[in-house]
Amino acid sequence: MMPLGMANVGDVNIIKKINGRDEVRQHLAELGFVVGTEVTVVSELGGNLILHVKESRIALDKTMAMRIMV
């Protein structure tokens, strides 16, 4: 397991665990980041990651991405 923030561009990963407070996990779940979901790193731009999850593209800052374990 590693943080999503360390995944390479183009990698397809499966979310295994989400760390953080309840509010943080809830917020990420509302965006589509739930355990068992496939997430792809589309690109990295200025410390933010562009991610493809559940037919959506979402920008997430690296500190948030480090809480998502893949």
Side-chain angles (χ1 to χ4, degrees):
M1 247 187 344
M2 70 172 179
L4 182 58
M6 295 177 72
N8 296 318
V9 172
D11 284 358
V12 177
N13 301 284
I14 304 290
I15 298 172
K16 295 188 172 77
K17 184 180 178 191
I18 298 177
N19 299 320
R21 297 187 315 271
D22 287 348
E23 313 85 87
V24 172
R25 291 200 312 267
Q26 179 66 37
H27 177 66
L28 288 170
E30 287 167 2
L31 293 174
F33 297 96
V34 290
V35 174
T37 303
E38 232 177 55
V39 60
T40 307
V41 180
V42 177
S43 65
E44 189 175 346
L45 192 65
N48 294 320
L49 296 174
I50 308 298
L51 303 165
H52 184 209
V53 62
K54 291 191 174 181
E55 307 304 313
S56 300
R57 282 193 176 193
I58 296 174
L60 207 60
D61 76 343
K62 212 147 196 185
T63 55
M64 276 296 219
M66 294 304 267
R67 294 181 175 154
I68 301 171
M69 304 302 285
V70 293

